[in-house]
Amino acid sequence: MAIPHYQLLTHITKFQTNLSTSSRRTKSNFTVRMSLKEDAPSLAIVGVTGAVGQEFLQVLSDRDFPYKSIKMLASKKSAGKKQVFEDKEYVIEELKDESFDGVDIALFSAGGSISKKFGPIAVNRGSIVIDNSSAFRMDDNVPLVIPEVNPDAMSHIKLYSGKGALIANPNCSTIICLMAATPIHRHSKVIRMVVSTYQAASGAGAAAMEELKLQTHEVLEGKPLTCNIFKEQYAFNLFSHNAPILPNGYNEEEMKLVKETRKIWNDHNVKVTATCIRVPVMRAHAESVNLQLEKPLDEVML
Protein backbone atom coordinates (compact mmCIF):
# COMPACT_ATOMS: atom_id res chain seq x y z
CA MET A 1 0.00 0.00 0.00
CA ALA A 2 1.38 3.40 -0.96
CA ILE A 3 1.09 6.04 1.73
CA PRO A 4 1.44 9.74 0.78
CA HIS A 5 4.60 11.14 2.29
CA TYR A 6 2.61 13.92 3.90
CA GLN A 7 1.94 11.35 6.61
CA LEU A 8 5.58 10.60 7.26
CA LEU A 9 7.04 13.79 8.69
CA THR A 10 7.17 13.44 12.42
CA HIS A 11 6.16 16.94 13.38
CA ILE A 12 2.77 16.80 11.60
CA THR A 13 1.91 13.12 11.40
CA LYS A 14 -1.76 12.27 11.83
CA PHE A 15 -1.35 8.59 12.62
CA GLN A 16 -2.97 9.03 16.03
CA THR A 17 -6.21 7.08 15.86
CA ASN A 18 -9.07 7.68 18.25
CA LEU A 19 -7.88 4.65 20.18
CA SER A 20 -4.31 5.84 20.64
CA THR A 21 -5.40 9.38 21.39
CA SER A 22 -7.86 8.43 24.08
CA SER A 23 -6.03 5.42 25.48
CA ARG A 24 -2.49 6.64 25.98
CA ARG A 25 -3.31 7.04 29.65
CA THR A 26 -5.70 4.68 31.36
CA LYS A 27 -7.45 5.34 34.64
CA SER A 28 -4.50 3.84 36.43
CA ASN A 29 -2.19 6.34 34.68
CA PHE A 30 -0.51 3.42 32.90
CA THR A 31 1.06 4.45 29.56
CA VAL A 32 -0.28 2.54 26.57
CA ARG A 33 2.07 2.55 23.58
CA MET A 34 0.37 2.18 20.22
CA SER A 35 3.39 2.91 18.02
CA LEU A 36 5.20 -0.46 17.78
CA LYS A 37 3.39 -2.32 15.00
CA GLU A 38 4.40 -5.13 12.66
CA ASP A 39 2.72 -3.52 9.63
CA ALA A 40 4.38 -0.13 10.20
CA PRO A 41 7.52 1.27 8.51
CA SER A 42 11.04 0.61 9.74
CA LEU A 43 12.88 3.74 10.88
CA ALA A 44 16.45 4.95 11.25
CA ILE A 45 17.59 8.05 13.15
CA VAL A 46 20.90 9.42 11.84
CA GLY A 47 22.59 11.62 14.42
CA VAL A 48 20.55 10.22 17.28
CA THR A 49 22.88 11.50 20.00
CA GLY A 50 22.55 15.15 18.96
CA ALA A 51 19.97 17.68 20.13
CA VAL A 52 17.79 17.24 17.04
CA GLY A 53 18.19 13.46 17.08
CA GLN A 54 16.87 13.39 20.62
CA GLU A 55 14.01 15.65 19.57
CA PHE A 56 13.18 13.22 16.75
CA LEU A 57 12.72 10.48 19.33
CA GLN A 58 10.61 12.68 21.57
CA VAL A 59 8.27 13.68 18.75
CA LEU A 60 7.97 10.12 17.47
CA SER A 61 6.92 9.05 20.94
CA ASP A 62 4.64 12.01 21.63
CA ARG A 63 2.75 11.42 18.39
CA ASP A 64 2.66 7.63 18.61
CA PHE A 65 4.30 7.43 15.19
CA PRO A 66 3.96 3.78 14.11
CA TYR A 67 7.10 1.76 13.48
CA LYS A 68 8.04 -1.90 13.42
CA SER A 69 11.72 -1.31 14.14
CA ILE A 70 14.07 1.59 14.72
CA LYS A 71 17.83 1.94 14.27
CA MET A 72 19.83 4.39 16.34
CA LEU A 73 22.73 5.60 14.20
CA ALA A 74 25.61 7.93 15.05
CA SER A 75 29.35 8.32 14.66
CA LYS A 76 31.92 5.69 15.50
CA LYS A 77 32.60 7.58 18.73
CA SER A 78 29.05 7.00 19.93
CA ALA A 79 28.72 3.41 18.70
CA GLY A 80 28.04 0.95 21.50
CA LYS A 81 26.37 3.46 23.80
CA LYS A 82 22.84 2.77 24.99
CA GLN A 83 19.71 4.71 24.06
CA VAL A 84 16.43 4.16 25.87
CA PHE A 85 13.33 4.79 23.77
CA GLU A 86 9.78 3.98 24.83
CA ASP A 87 11.00 1.80 27.69
CA LYS A 88 13.28 -0.28 25.48
CA GLU A 89 17.06 -0.12 25.44
CA TYR A 90 18.81 0.13 22.06
CA VAL A 91 22.49 -0.04 21.20
CA ILE A 92 23.65 2.89 19.07
CA GLU A 93 25.23 1.68 15.85
CA GLU A 94 28.00 3.26 13.79
CA LEU A 95 26.64 4.84 10.61
CA LYS A 96 27.67 2.74 7.58
CA ASP A 97 26.45 2.14 4.03
CA GLU A 98 24.64 -1.03 5.05
CA SER A 99 22.87 0.74 7.93
CA PHE A 100 19.96 1.47 5.58
CA ASP A 101 19.25 -2.06 4.45
CA GLY A 102 15.59 -2.70 5.19
CA VAL A 103 14.95 0.88 6.35
CA ASP A 104 11.77 2.53 5.04
CA ILE A 105 12.23 6.02 6.51
CA ALA A 106 15.52 7.61 7.57
CA LEU A 107 15.52 10.85 9.55
CA PHE A 108 18.83 12.69 9.13
CA SER A 109 20.26 15.37 11.40
CA ALA A 110 24.00 14.87 11.55
CA GLY A 111 25.26 17.82 9.50
CA GLY A 112 25.51 18.58 5.82
CA SER A 113 28.62 16.54 5.09
CA ILE A 114 27.07 13.37 6.53
CA SER A 115 23.85 13.99 4.63
CA LYS A 116 25.69 14.51 1.35
CA LYS A 117 27.60 11.26 1.81
CA PHE A 118 24.96 8.95 3.25
CA GLY A 119 21.71 10.48 1.98
CA PRO A 120 22.13 9.19 -1.59
CA ILE A 121 23.34 5.83 -0.24
CA ALA A 122 20.16 5.47 1.80
CA VAL A 123 18.02 6.44 -1.20
CA ASN A 124 19.77 3.88 -3.40
CA ARG A 125 18.96 1.23 -0.79
CA GLY A 126 15.27 2.13 -0.94
CA SER A 127 14.90 4.49 2.03
CA ILE A 128 12.89 7.69 2.06
CA VAL A 129 15.26 10.24 3.56
CA ILE A 130 14.00 13.31 5.42
CA ASP A 131 17.03 15.53 5.80
CA ASN A 132 17.33 18.30 8.36
CA SER A 133 20.57 19.78 7.01
CA SER A 134 21.10 22.37 4.27
CA ALA A 135 22.74 19.82 1.97
CA PHE A 136 19.87 19.38 -0.49
CA ARG A 137 17.54 22.30 0.18
CA MET A 138 18.32 24.22 -2.99
CA ASP A 139 18.70 21.15 -5.21
CA ASP A 140 16.10 21.45 -7.98
CA ASN A 141 15.51 17.70 -7.86
CA VAL A 142 14.79 17.57 -4.11
CA PRO A 143 11.50 18.87 -2.70
CA LEU A 144 11.87 21.42 0.08
CA VAL A 145 8.84 20.87 2.26
CA ILE A 146 6.91 22.39 5.12
CA PRO A 147 4.00 19.92 5.29
CA GLU A 148 1.44 22.54 6.32
CA VAL A 149 2.59 24.85 3.51
CA ASN A 150 3.50 22.84 0.40
CA PRO A 151 2.76 19.11 0.89
CA ASP A 152 2.09 18.72 -2.84
CA ALA A 153 5.83 19.10 -3.48
CA MET A 154 6.30 15.55 -2.19
CA SER A 155 3.06 14.01 -3.47
CA HIS A 156 4.99 11.84 -5.92
CA ILE A 157 6.87 10.08 -3.10
CA LYS A 158 5.18 6.94 -1.80
CA LEU A 159 6.04 4.71 1.11
CA TYR A 160 6.48 0.99 0.28
CA SER A 161 6.87 1.79 -3.43
CA GLY A 162 10.35 0.25 -3.45
CA LYS A 163 11.87 3.55 -4.56
CA GLY A 164 13.98 5.68 -2.27
CA ALA A 165 13.69 9.45 -2.24
CA LEU A 166 15.10 12.58 -0.65
CA ILE A 167 13.04 15.26 1.06
CA ALA A 168 14.66 18.35 2.55
CA ASN A 169 13.12 20.32 5.35
CA PRO A 170 13.85 24.05 5.47
CA ASN A 171 15.89 26.01 7.93
CA CYS A 172 14.25 26.66 11.29
CA SER A 173 13.74 30.39 10.67
CA THR A 174 12.08 29.72 7.31
CA ILE A 175 9.61 27.24 8.81
CA ILE A 176 8.56 29.64 11.57
CA CYS A 177 8.14 32.53 9.14
CA LEU A 178 6.21 30.70 6.43
CA MET A 179 3.89 28.90 8.83
CA ALA A 180 2.62 32.34 9.80
CA ALA A 181 2.91 34.13 6.45
CA THR A 182 1.55 31.48 4.07
CA PRO A 183 -2.15 31.71 5.05
CA ILE A 184 -1.95 35.45 4.40
CA HIS A 185 -0.03 34.86 1.16
CA ARG A 186 -2.83 32.58 -0.06
CA HIS A 187 -5.42 35.32 0.40
CA SER A 188 -3.34 38.24 -0.80
CA LYS A 189 0.01 37.64 -2.45
CA VAL A 190 3.04 38.76 -0.45
CA ILE A 191 5.23 40.96 -2.62
CA ARG A 192 7.74 42.03 0.05
CA MET A 193 8.74 40.53 3.38
CA VAL A 194 11.04 41.98 6.04
CA VAL A 195 12.05 39.46 8.70
CA SER A 196 14.07 39.76 11.90
CA THR A 197 14.91 36.57 13.75
CA TYR A 198 16.04 36.09 17.35
CA GLN A 199 17.55 32.62 17.49
CA ALA A 200 18.16 30.47 20.53
CA ALA A 201 21.12 28.26 21.41
CA SER A 202 19.18 25.11 20.48
CA GLY A 203 19.54 26.01 16.81
CA ALA A 204 23.29 25.54 17.11
CA GLY A 205 23.02 22.13 18.78
CA ALA A 206 23.58 20.51 22.14
CA ALA A 207 27.15 21.77 22.52
CA ALA A 208 26.01 25.38 22.10
CA MET A 209 23.32 24.92 24.72
CA GLU A 210 25.87 23.51 27.16
CA GLU A 211 28.25 26.39 26.45
CA LEU A 212 25.51 28.95 27.14
CA LYS A 213 24.82 27.35 30.52
CA LEU A 214 28.53 27.23 31.30
CA GLN A 215 29.11 30.85 30.25
CA THR A 216 26.17 32.04 32.34
CA HIS A 217 27.79 30.56 35.44
CA GLU A 218 31.19 31.94 34.44
CA VAL A 219 29.88 35.49 33.93
CA LEU A 220 28.01 35.49 37.23
CA GLU A 221 31.03 34.10 39.06
CA GLY A 222 33.52 36.45 37.38
CA LYS A 223 35.47 33.65 35.74
CA PRO A 224 37.12 33.63 32.27
CA LEU A 225 34.66 32.61 29.57
CA THR A 226 34.69 29.33 27.66
CA CYS A 227 34.14 30.28 24.00
CA ASN A 228 34.47 27.10 21.94
CA ILE A 229 31.29 27.30 19.86
CA PHE A 230 30.69 30.99 19.18
CA LYS A 231 34.21 32.33 19.78
CA GLU A 232 32.79 35.24 21.80
CA GLN A 233 30.64 35.91 24.84
CA TYR A 234 27.15 34.48 24.31
CA ALA A 235 25.67 34.71 27.80
CA PHE A 236 23.99 38.09 28.40
CA ASN A 237 24.88 39.20 24.88
CA LEU A 238 23.39 39.70 21.42
CA PHE A 239 25.22 39.42 18.12
CA SER A 240 24.64 38.81 14.44
CA HIS A 241 24.03 35.14 13.68
CA ASN A 242 27.31 33.24 13.70
CA ALA A 243 26.92 32.02 10.10
CA PRO A 244 29.60 33.25 7.66
CA ILE A 245 29.16 36.66 6.03
CA LEU A 246 28.64 36.49 2.26
CA PRO A 247 29.94 38.97 -0.38
CA ASN A 248 26.50 40.65 -0.54
CA GLY A 249 26.74 41.62 3.14
CA TYR A 250 24.14 39.13 4.38
CA ASN A 251 25.12 36.13 6.45
CA GLU A 252 24.31 32.59 5.31
CA GLU A 253 21.42 32.24 7.75
CA GLU A 254 19.74 35.31 6.30
CA MET A 255 20.16 34.14 2.72
CA LYS A 256 18.72 30.73 3.58
CA LEU A 257 15.47 32.44 4.51
CA VAL A 258 15.48 34.43 1.26
CA LYS A 259 16.22 31.51 -1.06
CA GLU A 260 14.11 28.91 0.72
CA THR A 261 11.04 31.17 0.81
CA ARG A 262 11.22 31.64 -2.95
CA LYS A 263 11.55 27.91 -3.57
CA ILE A 264 8.77 26.86 -1.21
CA TRP A 265 6.35 29.49 -2.50
CA ASN A 266 7.52 28.85 -6.07
CA ASP A 267 7.83 32.60 -6.47
CA HIS A 268 11.23 33.96 -7.45
CA ASN A 269 9.94 37.53 -7.60
CA VAL A 270 8.96 37.91 -3.95
CA LYS A 271 11.28 40.40 -2.24
CA VAL A 272 12.70 39.13 1.04
CA THR A 273 15.22 40.69 3.39
CA ALA A 274 16.26 39.17 6.69
CA THR A 275 18.31 40.08 9.76
CA CYS A 276 19.23 37.10 11.93
CA ILE A 277 20.40 37.61 15.51
CA ARG A 278 21.63 35.08 18.04
CA VAL A 279 20.06 35.58 21.49
CA PRO A 280 21.15 33.98 24.79
CA VAL A 281 18.17 31.74 25.50
CA MET A 282 18.17 27.95 25.49
CA ARG A 283 15.22 27.17 23.22
CA ALA A 284 12.52 28.74 21.05
CA HIS A 285 13.35 31.19 18.29
CA ALA A 286 11.29 34.36 17.86
CA GLU A 287 10.63 36.40 14.73
CA SER A 288 9.27 39.75 13.66
CA VAL A 289 7.70 39.63 10.18
CA ASN A 290 6.53 42.66 8.18
CA LEU A 291 4.55 41.89 5.02
CA GLN A 292 3.65 44.07 2.05
CA LEU A 293 0.66 42.60 0.21
CA GLU A 294 -0.53 42.85 -3.35
CA LYS A 295 -4.03 43.95 -2.27
CA PRO A 296 -5.66 45.07 0.99
CA LEU A 297 -6.53 42.39 3.51
CA ASP A 298 -8.36 42.45 6.82
CA GLU A 299 -9.14 39.85 9.46
CA VAL A 300 -12.60 39.21 8.02
CA MET A 301 -11.04 37.90 4.79
CA LEU A 302 -9.02 35.36 6.77
Side-chain angles (χ1 to χ4, degrees):
M1 177 179 65
I3 297 177
H5 203 81
Y6 177 78
Q7 296 175 315
L8 305 183
L9 297 183
T10 60
H11 57 288
I12 54 88
T13 179
K14 305 300 182 183
F15 275 104
Q16 289 176 305
T17 63
N18 290 336
L19 177 62
S20 62
T21 301
S22 61
S23 300
R24 289 220 33 189
R25 295 271 177 190
T26 67
K27 291 181 180 179
S28 62
N29 205 37
F30 177 73
T31 301
V32 179
R33 295 293 182 189
M34 304 299 296
S35 46
L36 190 58
K37 299 179 180 179
E38 282 302 316
D39 59 349
S42 55
L43 309 180
I45 310 296
V46 179
V48 70
T49 57
V52 177
Q54 291 296 298
E55 196 69 19
F56 281 158
L57 295 179
Q58 186 63 55
V59 175
L60 288 169
S61 183
D62 287 347
R63 295 184 178 273
D64 279 338
F65 192 95
Y67 62 94
K68 66 180 177 184
S69 63
I70 184 166
K71 288 185 178 182
M72 309 293 183
L73 302 175
S75 66
K76 185 176 182 178
K77 181 177 65 175
S78 297
K81 294 181 179 179
K82 303 297 174 58
Q83 173 69 54
V84 176
F85 177 60
E86 297 196 331
D87 303 321
K88 182 177 178 180
E89 188 175 79
Y90 295 83
V91 177
I92 296 173
E93 303 174 35
E94 180 183 355
L95 177 62
K96 298 180 179 179
D97 293 9
E98 57 269 25
S99 297
F100 303 99
D101 290 345
V103 171
D104 297 311
I105 305 170
L107 305 179
F108 272 65
S109 188
S113 60
I114 294 296
S115 292
K116 286 179 180 178
K117 178 179 179 181
F118 286 99
I121 290 171
V123 170
N124 289 336
R125 291 175 181 253
S127 302
I128 294 174
V129 172
I130 302 171
D131 182 43
N132 190 53
S133 80
S134 61
F136 304 104
R137 287 175 185 159
M138 300 313 299
D139 187 323
D140 290 338
N141 296 315
V142 176
L144 181 64
V145 177
I146 303 173
E148 297 88 344
V149 173
N150 63 331
D152 290 346
M154 57 181 179
S155 61
H156 61 290
I157 299 173
K158 307 296 182 184
L159 185 60
Y160 307 136
S161 67
K163 294 177 63 177
L166 262 168
I167 299 170
N169 74 259
N171 194 38
C172 48
S173 54
T174 306
I175 296 173
I176 296 167
C177 179
L178 297 193
M179 283 289 290
T182 298
I184 297 172
H185 181 62
R186 288 170 178 160
H187 284 271
S188 180
K189 183 178 179 181
V190 174
I191 58 177
R192 181 173 180 266
M193 182 162 65
V194 180
V195 185
S196 300
T197 74
Y198 308 94
Q199 296 180 225
S202 57
M209 296 169 71
E210 288 301 315
E211 183 164 293
L212 175 57
K213 287 195 291 186
L214 177 60
Q215 278 196 10
T216 300
H217 287 288
E218 290 170 341
V219 169
L220 294 175
E221 295 169 7
K223 296 179 179 179
L225 296 183
T226 302
C227 300
N228 296 325
I229 305 300
F230 295 109
K231 310 305 179 186
E232 60 185 303
Q233 180 176 335
Y234 185 23
F236 307 101
N237 194 17
L238 300 171
F239 48 85
S240 178
H241 193 281
N242 48 295
I245 304 296
L246 302 174
N248 65 1
Y250 287 85
N251 63 47
E252 279 187 0
E253 188 79 0
E254 293 160 347
M255 288 310 300
K256 286 177 184 178
L257 203 153
V258 174
K259 294 177 181 178
E260 292 172 14
T261 295
R262 290 172 176 167
K263 180 175 179 178
I264 292 166
W265 278 357
N266 193 26
D267 183 355
H268 294 283
N269 294 319
V270 62
K271 297 178 180 178
V272 182
T273 185
T275 302
C276 296
I277 303 297
R278 187 69 77 180
V279 298
V281 298
M282 292 297 289
R283 291 180 179 270
H285 302 344
E287 296 190 3
S288 166
V289 183
N290 179 286
L291 303 176
Q292 181 181 348
L293 307 180
E294 191 174 58
K295 58 185 180 182
L297 182 69
D298 60 35
E299 65 273 13
V300 176
M301 298 178 184
L302 293 173

